[in-house]
Amino acid sequence: MKIPWRSAILVVIILTLFALPALTPGAAGAPWIEPQAPGAAASLVCPMASHQNDGRRFGTNSAARGGVPAQSDAPQTSDAGRMADLAKQMWVLVNRDRQNPANAAETGGRARPLRWNDKLAAVALAHSRDMRSRHYFAHVDPEGRTPTDRINGAGIRWRALAENIAIDTTVTAAEDDLMNEPRFQQNHRGNILNPKYTDVGIGIVQAPNGDLYITQDFVATTPDRSGVRSSH
């Protein structure tokens, strides 16, 4: 039986839309950006038009990940301490990029160093751990919880928020890859350089193959910064 050519094209399009890209080191999910919306629901802006991995690959390692066993959600103390150190290293890299004179045209010279927010870091860490343990790579978890839901659930007051996620082999490579994007756009680079954000929390976990699952959460806090703990 011959299949009409229009039907064949439709089948190919549907299969393409629903095919999930392989999770490879150097991958970054489309950034999540929540517009200023204090105390109210607002339309969500996702520049890449998808909350799934956008399919781009940074770096040269393009080997597909397959059959990765789940890790415990209660990592060893030494491993947790090492991942916490990496998160703080990435915080330094983020602020380095915000303060870099080469980026002044994008920041208008108004991007102050982001404060480390302990509560926000806990939210980011939980999401990185969940992505690794349940083998997905997205801003929205399998139950449909968004970055906005997670940050609100932690009791963090905000005026605007954004999230970047990445899988890479080192924090330096991940930060470089997130910044290696078009200027003056709502993208990962734009989230990092946006002068309206005041706080950041970063959570990192390591998969059995050594890849780092990284979540960067950014907020512009309310003036009283109620319920926020930070370190310097």
Side-chain angles (χ1 to χ4, degrees), residues 110-146:
R110 296 180 293 108
R112 297 177 59 81
L114 295 171
R115 294 175 295 229
W116 180 267
N117 186 313
D118 291 332
K119 294 180 72 174
L120 201 57
V123 172
L125 178 60
H127 187 58
S128 291
R129 188 174 293 157
D130 191 50
M131 288 193 295
R132 179 199 63 187
S133 297
R134 296 204 282 171
H135 312 307
Y136 70 95
F137 184 46
H139 295 287
V140 182
D141 72 17
E143 286 72 45
R145 288 186 293 265
T146 68

Side-chain angles (χ1 to χ4, degrees), residues 12-32:
V12 171
I13 291 173
I14 291 173
L15 290 175
T16 301
L17 287 175
F18 284 91
L20 289 177
L23 301 184
T24 63
W32 181 283

Side-chain angles (χ1 to χ4, degrees), residues 23 63-69 209:
L23 301 184
R65 176 181 290 102
V68 179
N209 65 355

